[in-house]
Each structure stands twice: as structure tokens, then as C-alpha cells.
Amino acid sequence: MKHQHLVILGTGGTIAGRAANASDNLGYTAGQVGISELLATLPVPPGAEPVISEQVAQIDSKDMSFAVWATLAGRVSHFLAQPDVQGIVITHGTDTLEETAYFLQLACNPAKPVVVTCAMRPATALAPDGPQNLLDAMAVARHADAKGVVAVCAGTIHSALDIQKVHTYQLDAFSSGDAGPLGYVEEGIVRLVKNWPLANEGRASSAIKNIVELASLAEWPRVEIVMNYAGASGTVVEALLAQGVQGLVVAGTGNGSLHHALEAALLKAQVAGVPVLRSTRCLNGRVLPKPGDGIPDSKGLTPVKARVALILRLLSAGQG
Ligand code: SIN
């Protein structure tokens, strides 16, 4: 029987953060400690195969770029294609984790597990949460039935479709909203409360055809997010149209409601050939469509995930 390896890809984040002082959980620099150094601090479970690690990026995830996404998707698909690789763990900052996880689900649609993990405290903290999160993520990636892109933080397993960062500071910073988490990791044991994500389970059928081509793209489609609020107008949309924006997501109020001036500008954008998706700025729930809606809803996707779906839809269309 072939050895079943885990691959650990480092991209930076607070999990790799370093502060001058061990009691400082805020004034650190993210993306400093290498992935091999992070792994060296972990106990190796008896009988576990050695892991393969690779530093794909070393950034604060607020600075996540299309270039890093393209490289990451390329490395993920490369390793997933190796028969002796059981699964992949990716260390990532918490701030844009949900976008990267959803991007990888749509772009790679993995039949093996791709587990994104993170930390809210830097590696240099008195009590860092990163090592436990990394161990838990490895336990999930080793689970015999695991598949799809999931995220692990604070002992909880979230689907890439549902995960959202909901807290600025607490260690349990993520929620799966109405859907609830997929399960938990308890002392290295995975306890599922739902099924693993299904292949192609996405709320947008936008898987791109050729991941390798992503890396060679000079520019990705420009898709921006605008928001509804008291006193909103159409001026931001008009300015974006003048700049050649290729897609728009609107974070509406409540059930996706829009100030009449903003809605008029978005309808004009659609007429001009710019696709628009309507999501909500509410943390829970989804936009429920109703007769007469001129702007399609985001099928339950949050504004940032609707943007990822629209970018990939535009890329797929461009790939013909
Ligand atoms: C980041 O997103 O890279 C910094 C914040 C964090 O990981 O919690």
C-alpha cells in the first residue's frame, strides 16, 4: 500500500505572526514564521506519516491577491493529483480565509480534503491557538471520508460555503450561520454533525476549466462590492462603471433591499452589460427572491463570496 501523505501549504497569517512581546496579541506582524518552523513545534501522532510542507506565500491575508490565489490553486491541484497524497492543510490568515476557502472550492472542486486553518493569536503569544488549530486541521485531513474545502478553527469544522469570520478578537472567530458547522475535533477525533461537502456543492456553478491558466492571466475581472445604507446614492456605481468595472455585488439591507437611487444605478449597470448580484449585509439568512426583482439574488452567498463566484463566472466565460 502506498504511503498516504499530508501536504501542508503555508500562506502566512496570524498563525505565522510574530510579536516583540509574548503578552501582545495585537501588535504583531502576520506572516513571519515559516511553515516548517510551525510544524516543528507539533507533536507527531504515533504511526503518522511525515508531512510534506511548502511555503506558498508569507502574507497578512488582508493583502491576499489574485496572484497568490492562482499559485495556491495550482499547488493544491498539483498535490491533489498525486495518488500518495491523502489531503492538504493550508495555514492562512483569518481575515480573508472565507474568500480563499470558497475560491478553492469553486476552482479546484476537490474530491480529497483541503483544510484551511488559522489562528487569532500570533505564534509568539503566551498561549497561541495556532498549534492546536493546525493539529486539528491535520486530524480532519487524515479522516478517511473527508473531502472538499473545509476550515478548522477553535475545534470546529466549517464548510467553505458557510464559513464567515464573525468576531474581531475571540479565538472562536468563525460561524457557519444558519447552516451550522460540519462538526468538531475533540482530542484529535473528528465528530461530524453533517455530511462532508459534496463534489460540485457550490451555490454558483462556476468552476474554472483550467487552473494553470489562472497564473498566466495579467488581469482578473474587476468585480466590486457596493453597499446599501441610509442616504445611499448611485454615484459609486456610476464611478465604477466609468472605470470599466466588469461585475458588481451589492450588499443590500435586510432581504437585499436597496435605496431607489442605488437600485436605479445598478439596473443601468445591468443594461450596460455588467452583471450584478444582490446579497445582504445581514449576518444571517439569505436574500429570498420575490416577483419583480430586477437584480438576481446571490443564492445565499455573502457579499465577499458572491464576488468570488462572479469573478470565476466571468473567468469561465472568458475561457470559452
Ligand atoms: C491575517 O488575516 O493574515 C491577519 C489576521 C489573522 O490571521 O487573524
Side-chain angles (χ1 to χ4, degrees):
M1 187 180 129
K2 288 203 165 188
H3 294 317
Q4 293 289 292
H5 291 295
L6 284 192
V7 174
I8 320 287
L9 304 178
T11 72
T14 294
I15 191 168
R18 200 172 259 145
N21 180 334
S23 61
D24 188 353
N25 289 319
L26 288 180
Y28 60 87
T29 307
Q32 299 296 301
V33 183
I35 189 64
S36 45
E37 209 181 316
L38 290 179
L39 286 167
T41 64
L42 301 184
V44 181
E49 293 295 335
V51 300
I52 301 163
S53 70
E54 194 172 294
Q55 195 77 51
V56 172
Q58 190 59 299
I59 59 170
D60 186 318
S61 81
K62 71 178 173 56
D63 298 322
M64 184 50 69
S65 65
F66 295 143
V68 173
W69 272 2
T71 307
L72 189 57
R75 298 314 286 155
V76 165
S77 55
H78 163 81
F79 283 115
L80 288 176
Q82 315 292 318
D84 61 345
V85 168
Q86 182 174 7
I88 298 177
V89 172
I90 300 170
T91 55
H92 198 287
T94 60
D95 285 349
T96 59
L97 183 149
E98 67 213 58
E99 286 162 74
T100 297
Y102 188 61
F103 162 72
L104 290 173
Q105 177 63 46
L106 289 187
C108 302
N109 191 22
K112 294 177 185 179
V114 175
V115 187
V116 191
T117 194
C118 56
M120 289 297 284
R121 291 183 184 154
T124 50
L126 277 178
D129 53 329
Q132 187 63 55
N133 286 344
L134 190 45
L135 273 179
D136 289 349
M138 290 163 75
V140 173
R142 283 199 179 97
H143 190 279
D145 302 324
K147 52 178 177 276
V149 181
V150 300
V152 170
C153 182
T156 307
I157 312 166
H158 301 272
S159 149
L161 301 178
D162 299 310
I163 188 168
Q164 223 183 326
K165 187 171 180 183
V166 294
H167 205 283
T168 56
Y169 182 73
Q170 288 175 1
L171 302 190
D172 192 2
F174 291 92
S175 165
S176 286
D178 291 348
L182 288 178
Y184 303 93
V185 188
E186 295 154 342
E187 297 297 300
I189 309 288
V190 172
R191 177 168 64 89
L192 280 188
V193 293
K194 287 172 39 180
N195 291 328
W196 297 106
L198 298 172
N200 280 323
E201 186 180 350
R203 291 174 189 139
S205 56
S206 56
I208 46 159
K209 293 175 198 132
N210 188 350
I211 288 170
V212 178
E213 275 182 26
L214 285 180
S216 58
L217 285 173
E219 279 184 37
W220 287 31
R222 181 163 176 210
V223 177
E224 299 288 352
I225 300 173
V226 294
M227 190 188 267
N228 194 50
Y229 38 76
S233 73
T235 52
V236 173
V237 171
E238 282 153 17
L240 288 169
L241 285 176
Q243 283 188 17
V245 74
Q246 288 153 284
L248 288 163
V249 173
V250 61
T253 29
N255 188 32
S257 63
L258 301 172
H259 187 287
H260 62 86
L262 177 58
E263 184 163 29
L266 290 167
L267 289 169
K268 259 195 210 161
Q270 286 190 148
V271 170
V274 174
V276 183
L277 289 177
R278 183 201 299 257
S279 61
T280 176
R281 65 181 219 189
C282 288
L283 198 54
N284 287 311
R286 56 191 293 149
V287 174
L288 298 167
K290 48 188 195 319
D293 278 345
I295 298 169
D297 68 274
S298 66
K299 308 263 182 289
L301 294 174
T302 60
V304 290
K305 287 185 191 170
R307 176 174 175 267
V308 171
L310 189 46
I311 289 170
L312 290 186
R313 194 170 97 195
L314 291 167
L315 276 175
S316 299
Q319 283 182 341

